Amino acid sequence: MPETVQESGTEQDNAEGVAVAPIADGEVSADAEPEADVESGDDSDSGSEEDGDERSGGSAEDLLVREGDIAGDYLERLLDLVDYDGDIDLDVEAGRAIVSIDGGDDLEKLVGPRGNVLEAVQELTRLAVQQETGTRSRLMLDIAGWRADRREELRDLGRATAERVLSGEEERIRLQPMTPFERKVVHDAVAAVDGVHSESEGEDPRRRVVVFRQT
C-alpha cells in the first residue's frame, strides 16, 4: 500500500500516483484554495442521488439490472474498439448497478493516474445508460480492481487521520483534494471513530476532506 506523506506546502504522490497526503492545519500548499463552501461529510460519487423507488420503467431492481446490461454492452464495444481483453461482471448492490472489468493485461490503461481515466469511462458509461433509459444513472464502474484497492487504502487513511485528531496530535487535518468517491469512503471511515467528525470544503476538483475533533 502506498505511504501517505505529509509535507509542508507541497503534495507528493508516489510512483503509482495514489498517495493522499494530509496537510497540517495552518500550512498553505501550492494548490490551496480559500476555505469556503464547507459542507457536512456526506459526499456522493454522482452528485444528487435519485431514490430508486422514484425511477420509472418497472421496479427499481429491474431498472438497475437493465442499467447493468446496457453498461455491459457499451463497455464490450469499447473494449473491442481499443482491442483490449477483459471479462465484464454485472451486479446490483446498495441500490445501484455495479460493473467491473477484470482479466486483461491492458486494463490499467483504462484506469490512469489516480483513476482519472476510470472516472471518465464511468461517466461515459452512465451517459450511455441514461440515453437508453431516460434516467440518470448512478452505476459504479471498477476496472482491474483499482477502485476496490483504493477503497481499502482510503479507509485506512480515514481511520488513521481520525485517530491522530482524537489523540490530540493535531486538532484539525485537511487532506488533499479527492474525487466524490474518495471523499465518501474517507467520511464513512471517520464516522466509525467516536469523538471526531469530517466535512468537505472547497470546490471540485479541489474539494477536500477536513477531519476535526467533535465538540
Side-chain angles (χ1 to χ4, degrees):
M1 180 179 299
E3 295 182 351
T4 298
V5 182
Q6 179 172 355
E7 296 186 350
S8 174
T10 61
E11 297 177 356
Q12 177 176 337
D13 288 347
N14 66 0
E16 294 292 331
V18 296
V20 177
I23 301 175
D25 189 40
E27 295 181 346
V28 179
S29 68
D31 64 352
E33 295 185 356
E35 295 190 16
D37 188 26
V38 177
E39 296 182 356
S40 60
D42 59 352
D43 287 289
S44 163
D45 67 286
S46 62
S48 61
E49 299 187 3
E50 301 91 351
D51 188 314
D53 292 337
E54 295 177 358
R55 296 185 174 202
S56 60
S59 70
E61 182 79 11
D62 290 342
L63 180 56
L64 292 175
V65 171
R66 186 184 175 205
E67 284 188 6
D69 290 339
I70 296 170
D73 291 341
Y74 174 82
L75 291 167
E76 185 174 356
R77 293 195 299 271
L78 175 63
L79 292 176
D80 288 342
L81 183 65
V82 297
D83 197 24
Y84 289 174
D85 292 327
D87 299 321
I88 300 175
D89 184 64
L90 311 175
D91 199 1
V92 173
E93 181 181 321
R96 72 172 70 200
I98 306 294
V99 184
S100 60
I101 308 177
D102 293 291
D105 295 334
D106 297 311
L107 291 180
E108 289 187 2
K109 297 175 184 177
L110 294 178
V111 174
R114 290 195 64 182
N116 58 1
V117 178
L118 169 58
E119 293 293 338
V121 174
Q122 176 177 270
E123 186 60 26
L124 288 173
T125 306
R126 287 176 171 179
L127 291 173
V129 171
Q130 180 177 343
Q131 188 175 31
E132 291 287 332
T133 64
T135 305
R136 190 169 187 270
S137 174
R138 296 174 49 239
L139 73 85
M140 181 72 73
L141 172 65
D142 195 6
I143 299 177
W146 183 89
R147 200 180 291 279
D149 292 341
R150 183 65 170 148
R151 183 180 287 108
E152 288 304 312
E153 179 185 345
L154 290 165
R155 284 172 178 163
D156 291 342
L157 174 64
R159 284 192 296 265
T161 304
E163 290 169 359
R164 286 174 57 190
V165 171
L166 192 62
S167 69
E169 182 178 341
E170 296 183 55
E171 293 183 359
R172 177 184 174 94
I173 297 178
R174 300 169 64 235
L175 302 179
Q176 283 188 4
M178 300 180 187
T179 65
F181 156 73
E182 292 172 324
R183 295 195 303 268
K184 180 64 166 61
V185 176
V186 173
H187 285 311
D188 289 346
V190 172
V193 180
D194 292 335
V196 293
H197 184 64
S198 64
E199 293 180 350
S200 293
E201 67 175 22
E203 298 286 346
D204 286 325
R206 290 302 182 187
R207 193 163 174 79
R208 66 185 74 208
V209 175
V210 183
V211 182
F212 52 90
R213 185 183 292 272
Q214 195 168 25
T215 57

